[in-house]
Amino acid sequence: MSGRVEKLLKAYPEMIQKRDCLAYQLAHFKGVSAEDVIASMMTPKVDGERVKSSNLSDKTAQIALEYREKQARMNQEWCEWLERQWQLLNDEILFLESAISSLPDRLAPFMRDLVIEHLTWDALESKYHISRFTVSAYRKKAIRELEARYDEREKEMIAYMLG
């Protein structure tokens, strides 16, 4: 049995927290500040003679346009990256929650309580009137079932990519 599902189950609270943080960042997105853009556009000073030109105002206008374009591009790329990260994480969370909900018999509510509601083994023993050994057995059986669902998802993705 692979440890993939066990790692996901352990990481679930952190995944929820990270998704919420990404959602907050997206909701309150301000983008790159003017100072950051200016700092990224700074070029080293040239030593030696400078050629004087009467096109100084044209250069200033060109720099201002480049600055605005660069700031807009940086902000768009950053926002798109945050959105992609949120979407990937949200998809993974939703698949895990869906897989847990699709478990048979008593396993679905049991695993929901264990993973999503963060109940302790002692709380599960009390709630379901089962022994610690049964908690362990239910957990192992659920993990095997979840592994099968993840294997099926992987096969479907491969079939889609090849087909």
Side-chain angles (χ1 to χ4, degrees):
M1 172 169 45
S2 145
R4 164 181 53 180
V5 170
E6 288 191 66
K7 288 177 187 173
L8 281 170
L9 297 178
K10 287 179 186 173
Y12 180 81
E14 185 180 322
M15 291 166 60
I16 295 294
Q17 183 180 26
K18 187 174 181 181
R19 180 185 65 180
D20 293 347
C21 286
L22 286 168
Y24 180 85
Q25 288 179 56
L26 284 165
H28 298 89
F29 185 78
K30 297 214 185 324
V32 179
S33 70
E35 294 81 20
D36 290 339
V37 176
I38 290 169
S40 74
M41 293 178 71
M42 292 175 106
T43 55
K45 296 189 185 231
V46 178
D47 291 333
E49 265 185 63
R50 288 191 169 169
V51 177
K52 292 188 178 186
S53 170
S54 62
N55 296 332
L56 187 59
S57 63
D58 289 344
K59 287 181 184 178
T60 303
Q62 182 62 33
I63 290 170
L65 285 173
E66 287 178 16
Y67 158 77
R68 290 199 187 277
E69 289 171 2
K70 185 167 185 156
Q71 185 180 28
R73 186 176 63 252
M74 289 171 78
N75 285 336
Q76 181 180 357
E77 289 172 359
W78 185 13
C79 189
E80 288 171 357
W81 183 85
L82 287 171
E83 288 172 345
R84 276 192 310 276
Q85 296 305 306
W86 181 88
Q87 189 62 55
L88 290 170
L89 193 54
N90 191 57
D91 289 348
E92 193 61 41
I93 289 168
L94 291 177
F95 184 82
L96 178 60
E97 290 174 348
S98 172
I100 288 171
S101 295
S102 72
L103 291 171
D105 305 328
R106 297 179 105 190
L107 291 180
F110 172 83
M111 287 303 287
R112 178 167 186 73
D113 286 341
L114 178 64
V115 177
I116 298 170
E117 302 301 327
H118 314 293
L119 293 184
T120 64
W121 282 36
D122 291 336
L124 291 168
E125 287 178 55
S126 295
K127 182 174 181 176
Y128 293 97
H129 308 290
I130 56 178
S131 68
R132 198 164 201 67
F133 178 79
T134 306
V135 169
S136 176
Y138 278 11
R139 183 179 174 279
K140 286 178 185 175
K141 184 175 181 183
I143 288 173
R144 282 192 302 272
E145 293 277 343
L146 291 170
E147 283 287 349
R149 282 157 178 75
Y150 274 90
D151 289 344
E152 184 62 31
R153 180 176 80 160
E154 195 172 297
K155 287 177 188 174
E156 288 170 357
M157 284 193 318
I158 290 170
Y160 171 75
M161 289 178 180
L162 296 177

